Amino acid sequence: MQDRERWSTRTAFIFAAIGSAAGLGNAWRFPYMAAQNGGGAFLIPYFIALITAGIPLIITEFAIGHKFQAGAPIAFSRIKKGWESLGWLTITASFVIITYYSVIMAWVTDYLWYSLKTAWANAPKDFFFSKVLQISSGPDELGGFSIPVIIGLILAWGAIYWCIRNGVRSVGKVVKWTVPLPVIMLGILVIRALTLPGAIDGVNFYLNPDFSKLLEPKVWASAYGQVFFTLSLATGVMIAYASYLPKKSDITNNAFITVFANCGISFLAGFAVFGTMGYMAFTKGALVSEVAGNGGIGLAFWTYPEAISLLPFGSVIFSLVFFIMLFTLGIDSAFSLIESIVAGLVDKWGWNKKKVVRLTCLVGFIISLIYATKGGLYWLDIVDKYINNFGMVAIGLFEVIAIGWLYKSSKLRSYFNPISEIKLGRWYDVMIAVITPIVLGGILIWNIVQEIIDAINGKFYGGYPLWAIIVGGWLMLAVVIIMSIILGKIKSQNNLGRKAN
Ligand code: PHE
């Protein structure tokens, strides 16, 4: 048996964890979620979601990885015999996410190039859809590949592979750059935004509290979904990363640092994005709500570029700063997903890690080509919604059941408390065994009921046809589940009779 790889320093681990957490999800998803779901009032469900699910789960995942010294599958098989498949669920979910996350990275890569000549000119939305994606009429028409997206995709996967090629050694070196750099760039963009006329209206739109929104269940679901995604939970990433920590290593404080840094980046991004939106509204004599559009992907690829091209000077510089920031934010999230998959495979079969990295990137690249077709955006949208809203929440629920009931949270706590700088009280046990399962279970059931009601009324997500929802949503989830069960049942040398420690 080879010795397990180790992070060279504690900082390397913390940076890698923050790098995974802080990604494309922070830069525009969070600000827009806030603006849409009650502005400043959204921070209330967001904090509650952090306390009742995000923080307990990230501590738990760090502790699992550290104690059981393996990626998610073997870790869960050591927690409870027969539960290996839960670990494989996190791995297959990671695989699903990386195949489309890499495509968004491909768009970002393209925009690094387009920024040089602000290629979107004065029709950024049209540019994105017609020139970059060359979008087809619907999910039923794949319509061949978009060449710019394929080129971006090759470069994005090349970059992902390059960062991860030597495991945690190369990752440790890369995150020294890809974590501080986007924070500095974000700082520049915030200062630029807040010194523009009209910025204050944008900030008001972002943070003005609308407490009535707190009565809408959708707002709560968004808060929990955002917290899961942003902290990279339920993907095995944090388990794999923590498994490379040395024997004596803090758990809880590392988790708190990761959470605060990640959420700080999200909060700050709101000022950059909405300050700039305020300026755009000001120059156009429109309302911020009108110029902000419907957020999400659009905010990064056409609203923000448009706002930047209205700047009195430095459009090229500021759009470069913006897309370099997105690239460096996203790349360490992307390769963390690969690391989780590779750790799962290598720990079970003891294969050569370098070969597994190469193969995973290759297969990932081939599958991601689906989303590089002209109809790819539709499929990306459907898969993203179903893997997050149903897949991740369900995996998180199983994780807390496994730890809270089968393993016992008090036992895990008595493992990590003595090695940690911050000692947790009994609240942790109650949270993992009772509160988090109730909350996650409630959200899951509520989502499924809503889905059924919508289906009965003939309303399908995004207005897509039923068959597309079935293929990209339910069939995709079914494949994830079946593959995880099969992978968990296969026996190998490494998971027979090897015990923790
Ligand atoms: N946390 C990343 C983001 O906010 C996305 C991610 C999810 C990365 C799950 C790894 C695992 O963009």
Side-chain angles (χ1 to χ4, degrees):
M1 254 278 303
Q2 285 174 350
D3 277 346
R4 200 166 184 76
E5 301 171 74
R6 299 288 163 198
W7 298 108
S8 53
T9 59
R10 176 177 182 181
T11 321
F13 167 72
I14 293 178
F15 270 32
I18 296 173
S20 171
L24 301 171
N26 301 52
W28 76 80
R29 201 165 183 268
F30 173 81
Y32 203 82
M33 282 279 160
Q36 232 180 10
N37 294 305
F42 181 71
L43 295 178
I44 295 171
Y46 184 79
F47 277 120
I48 294 179
L50 271 181
I51 290 164
T52 58
I55 294 176
L57 260 167
I58 195 170
I59 293 171
T60 304
E61 292 201 354
F62 277 1
I64 291 175
H66 188 252
K67 172 150 178 55
F68 298 100
Q69 288 291 299
I74 296 296
F76 276 103
S77 77
R78 288 173 182 167
I79 286 169
K80 186 80 193 166
K81 222 171 149 8
W83 276 63
E84 191 186 318
S85 292
L86 174 57
W88 287 109
L89 270 179
T90 70
I91 303 290
T92 38
S94 291
F95 192 78
V96 171
I97 296 177
I98 187 60
T99 52
Y100 70 79
Y101 204 85
S102 59
V103 177
I104 307 179
M105 289 299 291
W107 304 339
V108 174
T109 312
D110 286 344
Y111 270 77
L112 286 173
W113 169 248
Y114 297 139
S115 292
L116 294 176
K117 38 192 171 45
T118 43
W120 48 84
N122 42 25
K125 188 169 179 178
D126 191 49
F127 180 82
F128 179 66
F129 282 116
S130 314
K131 293 275 164 24
V132 184
L133 301 189
Q134 304 167 11
I135 192 102
S136 72
S137 60
D140 52 338
E141 190 198 341
L142 289 181
F145 292 111
S146 153
I147 299 299
V149 177
I150 294 259
I151 296 172
L153 198 58
I154 293 171
L155 295 173
W157 273 106
I160 293 171
Y161 171 71
W162 187 82
C163 295
I164 194 97
R165 72 195 186 290
N166 286 327
V168 300
R169 251 189 319 130
S170 50
V171 164
K173 286 186 196 136
V174 170
V175 292
K176 267 189 213 151
W177 296 94
T178 57
V179 173
L181 198 66
V183 176
I184 294 169
M185 297 196 148
L186 185 57
I188 295 173
L189 294 176
V190 170
I191 293 170
R192 171 70 281 204
L194 295 185
T195 49
L196 288 166
I200 191 71
D201 299 325
V203 174
N204 270 333
F205 177 72
Y206 168 42
L207 289 180
N208 191 26
D210 173 3
F211 291 103
S212 69
K213 287 267 188 190
L214 297 188
L215 299 175
E216 293 177 22
K218 176 179 132 267
V219 172
W220 291 84
S222 304
Y224 278 86
Q226 177 63 18
V227 162
F228 259 82
F229 189 76
T230 196
L231 292 178
S232 306
L233 295 172
T235 48
V237 170
M238 295 310 187
I239 296 180
Y241 273 4
S243 76
Y244 305 124
L245 278 169
K247 268 248 134 16
K248 276 207 164 34
S249 170
D250 166 86
I251 298 294
T252 53
N253 202 14
N254 284 348
F256 284 115
I257 293 170
T258 307
V259 170
F260 288 131
N262 173 67
C263 297
I265 292 174
S266 293
F267 188 61
L268 212 57
F271 290 94
V273 167
F274 283 100
T276 315
M277 293 301 132
Y279 167 71
M280 176 148 94
F282 173 84
T283 44
K284 290 184 155 186
L287 288 173
V288 180
S289 56
E290 287 165 8
V291 300
N294 52 11
I297 287 167
L299 202 61
F301 294 100
W302 67 81
T303 318
Y304 198 81
E306 180 176 5
I308 283 181
S309 38
L310 295 174
L311 290 180
F313 66 91
S315 296
V316 171
I317 295 293
F318 286 109
S319 49
L320 264 180
V321 169
F322 179 69
F323 285 108
I324 293 174
M325 175 186 82
L326 283 188
F327 188 85
T328 48
L329 273 177
I331 189 92
D332 39 20
S333 304
F335 64 64
S336 72
L337 288 160
I338 299 289
E339 182 58 46
S340 168
I341 300 167
V342 170
L345 295 170
V346 168
D347 287 339
K348 175 150 181 177
W349 280 287
W351 291 330
N352 177 302
K353 186 162 176 183
K354 288 199 168 176
K355 283 192 191 143
V356 179
V357 169
R358 252 177 268 153
L359 197 70
T360 309
C361 288
L362 187 69
V363 176
F365 168 71
I366 292 170
I367 305 228
S368 65
L369 287 172
I370 299 172
Y371 308 104
T373 57
K374 295 176 181 170
L377 177 67
Y378 305 114
W379 291 103
L380 192 158
D381 188 20
I382 297 172
V383 170
D384 172 64
K385 144 107 185 184
Y386 282 82
I387 195 76
N388 281 304
N389 288 17
F390 297 99
M392 312 306 278
V393 179
I395 295 172
L397 176 61
F398 283 122
E399 283 187 355
V400 286
I401 291 174
I403 293 296
W405 293 89
L406 303 175
Y407 186 80
K408 296 282 186 275
S409 28
S410 53
K411 198 165 138 201
L412 193 66
R413 186 163 62 93
S414 60
Y415 168 76
F416 65 66
N417 258 350
I419 50 174
S420 291
E421 286 159 7
I422 299 174
K423 319 280 180 217
L424 302 189
R426 266 189 55 89
W427 65 266
Y428 170 82
D429 307 345
V430 179
M431 200 64 96
I432 291 293
V434 186
I435 299 177
T436 315
I438 291 177
V439 179
L440 295 182
I443 286 183
L444 198 63
I445 293 171
W446 178 75
N447 257 302
I448 292 174
V449 169
Q450 188 62 46
E451 187 79 7
I452 295 171
I453 295 173
D454 285 350
I456 292 171
N457 294 329
K459 274 204 312 196
F460 299 108
Y461 171 68
Y464 296 114
L466 174 62
W467 72 269
I469 295 289
I470 291 179
V471 173
W474 301 114
L475 195 65
M476 178 274 298
L477 287 175
V479 171
V480 162
I481 294 170
I482 292 168
M483 277 192 50
S484 305
I485 293 175
I486 295 173
L487 284 164
K489 294 290 167 227
I490 301 173
K491 295 268 178 287
S492 82
Q493 283 296 305
N494 280 11
N495 68 343
L496 288 176
R498 218 174 77 193
K499 292 218 338 248
N501 306 321

